[in-house]
Each structure stands twice: as C-alpha cells, then as structure tokens.
Amino acid sequence: MARKKIIAGNWKMNMTPSEAVKLVAELEPLVKNDDVDVVYCVPAIDIVPVVEAVKGSNVQVGAENMYFEESGAYTGEISAAMLVDAGVKYVIIGHSERRDYFKEDDALLNKKVKKAISAGLTPILCCGESLEQREMGVTMDWIRFQIKSDLVDVTADQVKDIVIAYEPIWAIGTGKTATTEQAEEVCKGIRECIAQMYDQATADAVRIQYGGSVNAGNAAELFAQPNIDGGLVGGASLKADFGKIVCY
C-alpha cells in the first residue's frame, strides 16, 4: 500500500491567537486535498483556538514541543496529556532549533518520543545535519546516530506510525533548499536505517518528510521522489502559498 503524503506547517513562534484563527480561515478552502494529511503545528497558546477553528475541515493540529513528564513542578512546560485533551494529534520532537537553542539532546528526545507515543500522539521526529557536517561528508553517519538514539526502546509497531522529518539545518529559513537528489538520497538513507534497525516492512511503512525552505515552486518535484512522503514547511505555511504546496 502506498504511503499517504503528510504535509505539516511548522508555524514556529509566529501568530497570536487572533492571527492564527484568521490564517486558518484564509487557508481552509486552499488546503482541501483528501489525498494528503494536512497538519498545522502551532505555538502552544494557539492550540485551543486553532483546534476549534479547524473543526469540520480536513486539517489536524500538532504541537511544536512537549515535555516527557506526566505532570508536576516543571514551570513553563506542557504535557502530552494536556495536548491530547486539547485535541492535538501530532507533536514535533527534536527540531534543530530545539536541539541548538534549547540544548535538547538525544536522551531527552528519546523520552519525549516514548511519552508522545504512549499518550496517543504521533511524533514528527526531526533530524538533520549542519553545513559543516555535510561538507565533512558525515551527513548519514550523523543522521543515523540521531535516529538510533531517539528511537531507543521504541518498537517496530510504534515506529510504523511515527513521522520522520529530514531537515538539513543549512536549508532551514535560509532560502537554500537541498537539491531534489540530495533530499531523496538522505530520505532513502533514513529508510535504510529503519530497515536495518527493525525490518523492511517497518521501513516501508514509515512516512519521511523533507523540510528546509519548501515552497510552492519546489514541492511537486520533492514530493514526487520515492522516499519523500511530504514536507515539514516553515515560513511558507504562514501564507496562502501553503495551499499550493498541499495541492501540489
């Protein structure tokens, strides 16, 4: 069975609640496409109004982050149970900005992945290399390390349902995009890594996105690749052009 494409917008730290509701209304007629799963991953403060705003549409809501503890004295954090209760279906874990700016390491991210799965959320697990790592020729070594570390004690059945997002750090928000060949090569390598860790059936089931300056002009070519199952879209998800990406 062919994997269903998944196209997710990562709003990052943009959109007040009122702006978010307005954007959802603007995008609603533009993102109607039953052939793909459409997700808006929104700031925590926008989750409740956006969940309400997308009701009756083909869009599901994701969070940009969560903590691995159930509850307690973790000021400023949000739990998986809170997200589920608010109507969230997906959660981004391990985005390079979380890894870099907030020093989240793979041991922490592994805890987050397992907590998300146990709560019934679908992780969108991010991986990717820096420009320096690419120039050193260690791209796949680095990405395999991330994936193997982040999926410790995660079963094959659980992995089949997660989404992996390959985001070369040098292409995030820079306007630079990996060539179609570069993106496909790494996504194919990720699938081979999953096959090595588990089995080919598990690898064939996992959906792998490309992220990194995806736009209306390059989406169709990227998504046509055999190992690219959609995109994690940053800036372009905040404007009407997102509809063109979803309906590529």
Side-chain angles (χ1 to χ4, degrees):
M1 184 182 295
R3 294 179 297 272
K4 189 176 184 181
K5 294 285 196 285
I6 176 168
I7 300 173
N10 176 15
W11 290 12
K12 307 195 179 185
M13 197 176 73
N14 295 292
M15 295 286 147
T16 65
S18 59
E19 290 170 342
V21 171
K22 183 179 177 183
L23 179 61
V24 169
E26 179 186 358
L27 289 176
E28 183 174 356
L30 306 176
V31 298
K32 290 186 184 297
N33 184 354
D34 292 335
D35 294 332
V36 306
D37 287 334
V38 183
V39 184
Y40 298 158
C41 296
V42 306
I45 198 168
D46 294 341
I47 288 171
V48 171
V50 169
V51 166
E52 186 64 30
V54 302
K55 281 184 177 174
S57 77
N58 61 310
V59 176
Q60 294 185 311
V61 178
E64 297 180 15
N65 187 33
M66 51 153 267
Y67 198 52
F68 64 85
E69 293 287 2
E70 192 68 24
S71 62
Y74 305 102
T75 301
E77 294 294 336
I78 294 176
S79 72
M82 292 173 184
L83 297 179
V84 170
D85 191 65
V88 169
K89 303 296 184 185
Y90 293 83
V91 58
I92 298 173
I93 294 175
H95 192 281
S96 63
E97 290 158 3
R98 299 296 314 176
R99 293 175 186 264
D100 185 14
Y101 305 154
F102 302 100
K103 308 307 176 190
E104 294 189 359
D105 62 20
D106 290 296
L108 172 69
L109 298 176
N110 176 241
K111 292 178 182 178
K112 289 190 176 189
V113 168
K114 289 186 286 190
K115 173 54 75 172
I117 292 169
S118 69
L121 293 166
T122 299
I124 299 177
L125 176 62
C126 299
C127 59
E129 83 284 12
S130 66
L131 183 59
E132 181 183 19
Q133 288 165 331
R134 174 160 282 274
E135 290 175 342
M136 287 171 60
V138 298
T139 292
M140 281 314 307
D141 294 327
W142 177 249
I143 288 172
R144 278 191 289 265
F145 176 83
Q146 288 181 316
I147 291 171
K148 289 180 178 181
S149 301
D150 298 344
L151 296 181
V152 169
D153 296 327
V154 179
T155 69
D157 283 343
Q158 292 170 333
V159 169
K160 286 177 183 176
D161 293 327
I162 76 168
V163 177
I164 297 175
Y166 165 54
E167 292 202 310
I169 297 169
W170 49 271
I172 298 173
T174 62
K176 296 179 181 178
T177 311
T179 66
T180 303
E181 292 74 22
Q182 287 172 325
E184 166 62 15
E185 179 184 26
V186 176
C187 290
K188 181 174 183 284
I190 291 169
R191 204 173 302 285
E192 290 169 348
C193 178
I194 296 296
Q196 180 191 51
M197 293 171 65
Y198 298 97
D199 53 58
Q200 192 60 50
T202 301
D204 290 341
V206 171
R207 294 192 287 181
I208 303 173
Q209 298 175 311
Y210 170 74
S213 299
V214 175
N215 57 54
N218 60 30
E221 184 178 346
L222 285 164
F223 301 164
Q225 303 309 303
N227 289 289
I228 299 179
D229 305 313
L232 183 58
V233 184
S237 69
L238 298 170
K239 44 195 175 186
D241 261 11
F242 190 59
K244 296 177 183 176
I245 296 172
V246 169
C247 301
Y248 65 96

